[in-house]
Amino acid sequence: MKVTRSQLIVGLLTSASLALPLAVHAGDKATTSEQTSNQPVAAPPNASATSTAHATDLIQAAKSAGSFNTWLGAIDKAGLSDMLKGGEYTVFAPTDEAFAKLPAGKLDALLKDPAQLQQLLKHHIIANKLRVGDVPIGKMRSLSGENLDFEANRRHQLAIGGAAVIMPDLMANNGVMHGIDRVITIN
């Protein structure tokens, strides 16, 4: 039976909780999380609102989105701008609102310690270019060397270390950026 992307999204929206098997799309077949453990989560309902135009690089994608000014400043301060203009990455970038949720003084302390800031920011980046629907549920190693835990939250959004993807699939020629609602801390 062929299942369309729209049918998968409607199915996800009507599920009462994550206790029910999560439908995922794998090629032309629909499977459930009970049938396979390392399948990607379905794209969030707001994924259709994302832009399909590609920015020249991930820095340009962040600038074009307009919600990542704090992240851009931190990336620059940590010396990671040039890296994100080349290579091929998936970035889980905290929005300006996500940075505003940090405890008072935390961002200022990070900005005064470029090495710690760089480590934290690299914890939000993985090698490879993965759209939100292609990110497998489970663990993946970030550029910081630490594992990130990927799961579907109660709203059936992709969640990383407790942060939800709220702006999926901001495409660039060298990768993809996903805006998240929290800064992911390193354990």
Side-chain angles (χ1 to χ4, degrees):
M1 177 174 130
K2 187 172 182 177
V3 178
T4 67
R5 183 179 180 112
S6 297
Q7 289 170 321
L8 285 173
I9 291 170
V10 169
L12 289 174
L13 291 173
T14 57
S15 295
S17 72
L18 285 177
L20 297 174
L22 177 66
V24 294
H25 186 265
D28 288 334
K29 294 188 240 175
T31 60
T32 67
S33 57
E34 292 177 345
Q35 295 167 325
T36 179
S37 62
N38 201 24
Q39 290 292 322
V41 67
N46 60 349
S48 62
T50 60
S51 170
T52 58
H54 288 235
T56 56
D57 58 53
L58 290 161
I59 299 297
Q60 183 59 46
K63 287 178 182 176
S64 296
S67 298
F68 301 100
N69 296 315
T70 307
W71 182 82
L72 284 164
I75 286 291
D76 188 52
K77 183 80 172 173
L80 297 175
S81 295
D82 287 341
M83 180 189 84
L84 293 174
K85 290 180 180 177
E88 188 170 276
Y89 304 103
T90 300
V91 176
F92 299 94
T95 62
D96 294 333
E97 292 80 18
F99 276 105
K101 293 177 185 176
L102 286 173
K106 179 70 174 175
L107 181 58
D108 289 335
L110 285 168
L111 292 172
K112 290 177 184 173
D113 186 350
Q116 185 180 6
L117 178 63
Q118 186 179 85
Q119 186 73 1
L120 177 75
L121 294 171
K122 282 185 171 183
H123 191 58
H124 291 75
I125 304 169
I126 58 173
N128 298 320
K129 186 176 184 176
L130 298 171
R131 296 185 91 141
V132 75
D134 297 328
V135 175
I137 299 301
K139 294 184 183 295
M140 291 183 74
R141 188 161 309 278
S142 72
L143 293 186
S144 72
E146 301 290 324
N147 283 330
L148 288 170
D149 293 316
F150 295 90
E151 62 187 13
N153 67 17
R154 290 182 182 252
R155 294 185 191 112
H156 304 290
Q157 296 169 303
L158 179 63
I160 308 97
V165 171
I166 56 172
M167 297 176 70
D169 298 337
L170 303 171
M171 302 302 295
N173 289 339
N174 69 319
V176 60
M177 175 180 286
H178 307 293
I180 57 175
D181 66 353
R182 284 188 34 203
V183 176
I184 305 168
T185 57
I186 300 175
N187 296 331

